[in-house]
Amino acid sequence: MTEAHAQLLVGIWPFLVPEMILAGVACIVFLGGTVRADRHLWAGVSLLGYVAALVALHLGPATTTPADPALAHAALLPVLFDPLTKLLQALGFLTGILFVLLSWNEVDDRQAADWHACLLILVAGIGLTAAANDLVVLFLALEMVSIPTYVMLYVPRENAAAQEAALKYFLLSVFSSALVVFGFSYLYGIAGQTNLTLILEALNAPETSARDIPLLATVALITIVAGLGFRLKAAPFHFYAPDVFQGGPTVMAALLAWVHKATGFVALLRVLGFVMPPHVQPREFIGVALSEQTPIVFWFLAVITMTWGNALALVQDNLKRLLAYSTVAHAGYMLITLATAPYLRHEAGAVDGVEALLYYLIAYGAMTVGAFAMLAYLSTPERPVDTIDDLAGLSRSHPALALTMAIFLFSLIGVPLTAGFTGKFLIFFGAMSVEADHAYLFWMLAFIGVVNAAIGGWYYLRLIAVMYLRQPLQPLAPRPNLPGLATLIVCVALTLGLGVPPGSTWLLRHVKGAAGAAETARELARR
Amino acid sequence: MFDVCSYLWLIPALPLLGCIATAALGPRWLRGQSHWPCILGAVGACVLSVLTLIAVPQGAVNADGAPVPYLCSYYEWFRAGDVDVSFALRADGLTAVMLVTVTFIGSLIVIYSVGYMHGDPGYPRYFAVVSLFLFSMTGLVLANNFIVLYAFWEGVGLCSYLLIGYWFSRPSAAAAARKAFLVTRLGDIGLFLGILVLWTETNSLDFDVVLGQAHTLSAEILTIACLLLFAGAVGKSAQFPLHVWLPDAMEGPSPVSALIHAATMVTAGVYLVARCMPLFGQAPDAQLVVAVIGGFTALLAALIALTQTDLKRVLAYSTISQLGYMFLALGSGVEHHRLAALAATAAIFHLVTHAFFKALLFLGAGSVMHAMGDVIDMRRFGGLRKLLPVTHWTFLCGAAALAGFPVIFSGFWSKDEILAVTWEASRGGPHAVIYFVLLVTALGTAGLTAFYTFRAYFMTFWGEQRLPEEAGHHPHDAAPVMGVPLMILAAGAVLAGIVLGPTGLFGGFLEHYWSRSELPTRLQAAEAGGHALNVPLMLISAAVALGGIGLAYVLYVRTPALVGTAARMLGGLYGWSRNKFYLDELFEALFVRPFAGLARLCKTLDQYLVDGLVDLIGQVPAFVGYVMRPFQNGLVQFYALLMALGVAGFLLATMLR
Amino acid sequence: MSPVNLESYLLVGAALFVLGMVGFLTRRNMILIFLSAEMMLQGVALNLVAFARYHGDLGGQVLTLFIVTVAACEAAVALALILMLYRRRKSLDVSLWQELREPNLEPVVDDEPLPAPPPPPELPHLPVAGPKPEEQPHETSHV
Amino acid sequence: MNASALVIGLVALPFAAAIVVALLGAARAGLVRWVSLGAALGGLALAAVVTLQFTAIRGAQPPQKEAAATFAPELVPGADPKAPARTTWNIIEFGNRGAIQFYLGIDGMNIWLIVLTALLMVSAVLVSWNAIQERVNEYYAWLLALGAALSGVFLAFDIILFYVFFELTLVPLFFLIGIWGGPERRHAARKFFIFTFAGSVITLLGLLALVVVCHQKSPDRTLTFSIPELVRQVNHHLLLSAGADRAFWDATQFWVFFALFTGFAVKVPLFPVHTWLPLAHVEAPTAGSVLLAGVLLKLGSYGFLRLVLPLTPDACITYGVDVVGTLAVIGILYGALCALAQDDVKKLVAYSSISHLGFCMLGMFALNAPGLTGSLLQMINHGLSTGALFLIVGMLYERYHTRHMTDYGGIGAKLRILTLCMVVTCLSSAGLPGLNGFVGEALVLFGAFLKRPELAFIASAGILLGAWYLLSMLRQMFFGTLQEPAHEGHEVRDLDAREVCALAPLLVLFVILGVYPKPVIDTARPDLEIVAKILRNRPGMTGAPTVAQQGE
């Protein structure tokens, strides 16, 4: 460690203020929870924590831009602050706010403190994942997301189903973590570094490369993809999802569907070099440093995932199970972008794979969290909303809620004017834009994708049909729940707003900026 | 005189205006006076038609000395690529003759209808549609290109449909109307396809261009095109095998039967073939078909007419039979240009005389019906001679004309020309024998015609006086508004033949137009001698006609008991004739049932097979879902195993590659 | 350390990892399953240490330390969870927890049930002083 | 006000009205109806003004000797001042290489479909006046939204915008069928949605493939989603390509054709994928059926005309004539036969649609000027006739609450005006000359006969079958002895003023278009000639020399 390096290490503290705030508030809430059991209090406190973190993020130093020579070595630090990090951190903190609102009335007074404290840690984990530039940090950040999840899965509910969900998630999560770190260990072995920048540098260096030790590289690739695939809910690593979604609290289902998927994708982007530190030059394409076969792996993973998810979602009657399979299917669509991203050099494709991924991820977050929030909002202990039939006739009793839900579902189908459409469009357009010898493979991928989208239409539409076209069996009586309503409003606003200009333009600009690191890398590579 | 084009458009436009005025004003304001727009339109059109008839011979001639028709293009209907259709009208000899016939008879019938339809609740509707018919019919004969012709052709079909179904609450009328429309439309498809073939070959739709290029077409194309066009004529003019609609069409009011289903619309097929004579004349094979169909239809219809007891049906079959004669004449116009011109002239001449006497007969039958309280079954009345004197005498004139009573009556002259043409055709050419057989058939048919015509006449007007209950206590003869048209028509029926025929007025007028420029061609080579009266043939036909009338007199006036004996003697033939040779049943079994069955089959197929298959494809994803369901068995270790297998699978696949 | 040696370390690490995985898949006792997972982590740790030594870089060892730490964390959560689950089913058999599965599927029943658990050990008696604690109903208990 | 703003108004007005109506609430049903009617009439007025503007612009342009290379829409909102046929309004920008644009415009191919949509909207609003009594505000909101989306499809000149509107039509109709439909409405609505959705996502891929290929082949790597520009580029490449490039284009065209075909064929609908249509028609409320048959089905054929023919000309020549032509002819006969066997009058009309659209497709894939013109006319005519048929059937249903033909008999004696309208409409539908159906059908047959005489030959049987089922229906229901279906309490009255207002414009148009279709044909000619010219310029397009000789 050089002197300059040490200086830089000291200099990164300002960047970490938001996470520190969150951790601090978490400690306060943990401790305070032993004194007072009041869900409003602790939700309010953690809300303040998120707001403070957001403010700190906003006021904090700008990103470590590659143009700044003083920070030329910033990329060697264990944490990296590029536009992608900033975007994801902001998103993470917003997610935190959203989930506080969503869970405000869902968690008992007694468990509220624990719950909110865990959520704070989890969100801090998101921020750290986004920033991680070192295997150690990344591993820790991922575990910061995982471990609170175990607790949160069984804290709010004490029935057998919740416990079973927690057990399944816990065991399989540990299993997948082991897979990820196994991959990390080989990655480390190949590069001799834990720093991701250096690893990518080494992998992309012309003289030495992973291709000299194909076995290690391949094993690393597969185990990392498999382990993180658990978080993405990519088939065949998704099996826990339906059971856990069904058994666990609705809020947790939303959390797993969006936050864990997002962290998984971010980790993949970082580790496999889809988004590279500014000065690292990809030897050929992005994302294929470990193995030439990365796109093929993602190709198959995407196909299996979306097909499996959609086929099984078709036969579901339980709402949360259905949404769990839908989240699997959507993971499949998103994986298309990773399969295509290596080929979408900017001058070739009109749309970058990473951009499409980030866009879709955010759009998906809005609509899926919205859908789960709706289920949570409608459910009462006396009249739970479990099966599709429970939604019958919602449009008659609660037209506004039904319309909101319909918007989420239409967005999940991918009907225009919603964020889901724009996202799917970018994904499929990306897949069609691939310009390579075997471009037809990606056209085929897009074809399988749209066929799946059409299949997906069937079961989402079934929900809409139930809400609109059937008479209510037993009227739902959602309790007045202001925070829950706020969640819905935010989600529906995002779902619609991000689907059409100016919202879509705005988001596209930001995800372009976030993927900018990669773009810069390619600019350099061309020179 | 005025320029022909300046008033030619008024000939169809006046009835159209009449139609619009009646339709718009009739139900609310005119009510019982709804006939005025229609009469004014018809009479106006008639006057203008006569003007046209006068103007046509004064028209220009071209270098060859052939007359040039007046061509008046009014506006472009539609145009796309090479399909260029203008609302163009033409006035030449043929058109003028047709126009005068149509509008004159039309006017009379419209006037007659005032009395006949009096008090009917649908009075305005009747006159509106009749006006529309006159519009369509005049348009049809005025059309200068095939598409406009086709349009009006369909238009008259529509009017026929509406008028047959005029009393639409009668199920039989509704059924007859549909049948008429559909059967004629079957022929119309042929016409349209024929037009398509001609258009593809000549790139034009105008009569002059298409007919002028006829000699450039190959024989096969010509034959196909002619046969397709003829299919249209067969449908519209009720020739075998599409004649089945016409007898049923008698469900309409009698004036309609007179106007549309005897005098004008059904002759449109004859007009079409005559108009296309330059094509037909050069397609001997097609001509043979035309002649054979015509001759056969004439015979068949005459045979059926022998035993019908419904007065109007007898007349309907006689119409079919007479139209058959016309086609026989047209079909005989082969071999050389002179004969073709003769044939067309003969056919059109018969068309004109037939229009007079058949309209007369139908109106007479209508008058009988009117008096008998809408009963038309001849078995239920008789001896009406004294009761309905005007009707009786006029009917007799018509019957004599139809029977071809020698020398005076018009039918004799026109029929004779047809026989003469057929005789000419049988004197040479590859199909001479067939034409001779047709000639014999035609002669025989003439006898049958005389017989059944007078059978109907005797059954209705002779014998002891019998009245059906529906007639009420005081059946009265035709009122003047009905009687005067009857008398005018009767005069026409008697005199038209002898005035126009042997004097050569008609032939001279019309043949002038079948000039070389219209019939250029391969036919010119053989120039036949002039048209002279064929005295032996005339004698034979006169004898046959008189024989038929005599037989009818014997059977139905002198010794009515013989009828039963004769029927028994003929046995099966009588039954076949009585049942119209079971053709309706045959059609039912051959076409209607199979198509209905096919339709039901399609419906079932669509409901179960096609929809089922499509739904089945839709079920595939769900089926996949069911198949994959057992993987989700709830065992956490099984999930872990699948994950591990997934890793192993991907590892293997990646490494083996 | 020579490369040959590195390979043997890696082999041992991989073997540990796979053994742990096999244990994870085959054991039915929840605690043993968790321990098997820990064994997988140990395989990873061995890899990391070997690589660290090979590359002369401390990063791997740092990661190992963190893995151990995290494993300890997880163990704490795991044991709390397992304890709770045990209270409900009175068994550590993981296959008892298969209520959440696709509807219409029969539960998977093992042909060979686990041997009956040993009788609960006698709890030590309370000291004479102090009140006797009330029996807590299981349903309301949480970690 | 700028005339191009009116073009936006065609989409925006019904859409805004839909929102207003939805917010009015179900309680104020009367107000909701009047606002909807106002919006529909406003839309019609807008369409009329736009038509006048457009014809004025077209009239002012000097007639061109040679057909243009690509579409040049007029009245483009946000037009680029340098090139008035392009827009500057971007929706999604892809760097500086190109953008998805909000590109609307009017040309001869869509102007009359726009007018048709606006007109049928008025009828649809009127016919729902009393028939819809529950959830009135939602109903009219969806109806108006449907109108907006339909106009949008026709107006769009950006390929993605086209697709967006194309998809958006599904949502309102799904609700219209599903909520206010007949007993099987849920099944019908879902089947309709999924069928057409599944087809159209594949269409999207085809569209994207084309965009991408053009992008990759363009020398300056620009990216365009503009339909006119794509047409220009594709044909530019096609004319120049040779050798391996040629093979590439052939393959690309095949796949793109296949993808577009999948979506549009479902929408048209062509023979084996038509089964959603009878179901949807029968179950939809009257206004839904009217718009479905009148306008929505045209989206498929319009898609073929606007996108498939000019963008994949070679594939159309190689596969289109055989495949689509054959399917169209099968559809003509099969639809007619199925209609013949129906007892449900709405189903009869639905199957007749299949038959009529078969003519439309047959004409289009004759690939020559008469065929294309006939096809476009057939679209408009079918919209009018079938729209009117559904209106009348709906009015009958409102009176007697049955659609079984055998329940009826001799209604003509009782409901005279209705019967008159029905007879005229049936005749129009049966293609009687003088009414609108004839010119289109005739031109289709002319075009088809030029290309494939045998197909035209077989198709002509459809003319007879068409008359057969329609007249049988007339005979069964309206003629013969009076037999009214059971109806309780109320006296059945003939059409009232509102219903006549809904029907009369259509009937008047039957006659006008039947006698004087020239304005429509003349307006569309330059644009259809563009398509015809593209097809004419392709090798392998022998046997159709006559298209070239467009009468000057």
Side-chain angles (χ1 to χ4, degrees), chain A residues 383-397:
Chain A
R383 177 85 178 80
V385 176
D386 285 333
T387 62
I388 289 178
D389 290 338
D390 290 332
L391 286 179
L394 188 65
S395 72
R396 305 306 300 272
S397 52

Side-chain angles (χ1 to χ4, degrees), chain D residues 502-538:
Chain D
L503 267 176
L506 304 184
L507 299 189
V508 171
L509 278 180
F510 288 172
V511 178
I512 294 178
L513 282 182
V515 177
Y516 197 56
K518 195 167 143 56
V520 176
I521 297 178
D522 281 353
T523 326
R525 181 175 294 123
D527 300 276
L528 291 175
E529 183 53 28
I530 292 167
V531 179
K533 184 187 167 200
I534 286 170
L535 292 163
R536 202 158 60 222
N537 285 341
R538 304 308 308 142

Side-chain angles (χ1 to χ4, degrees), chain B residues 626 629-642 644 647, chain C residues 21 24-27 33 94-95 97-98 100-105 108:
Chain B
Y626 278 110
R629 229 173 173 170
F631 285 105
Q632 201 79 35
N633 63 2
L635 282 176
V636 67
Q637 283 170 305
F638 185 66
Y639 296 171
L641 176 66
L642 290 173
V647 173
Chain C
M21 189 185 278
F24 189 97
L25 298 178
T26 52
R27 292 286 164 179
I33 292 175
V94 76
S95 65
W97 295 91
Q98 49 169 318
L100 293 173
R101 59 173 183 271
E102 283 295 293
N104 316 326
L105 284 186
V108 180

Side-chain angles (χ1 to χ4, degrees), chain B residues 615-631:
Chain B
D615 280 354
L616 200 67
I617 294 169
Q619 290 301 316
V620 168
F623 177 73
V624 174
Y626 278 110
V627 170
M628 297 202 299
R629 229 173 173 170
F631 285 105

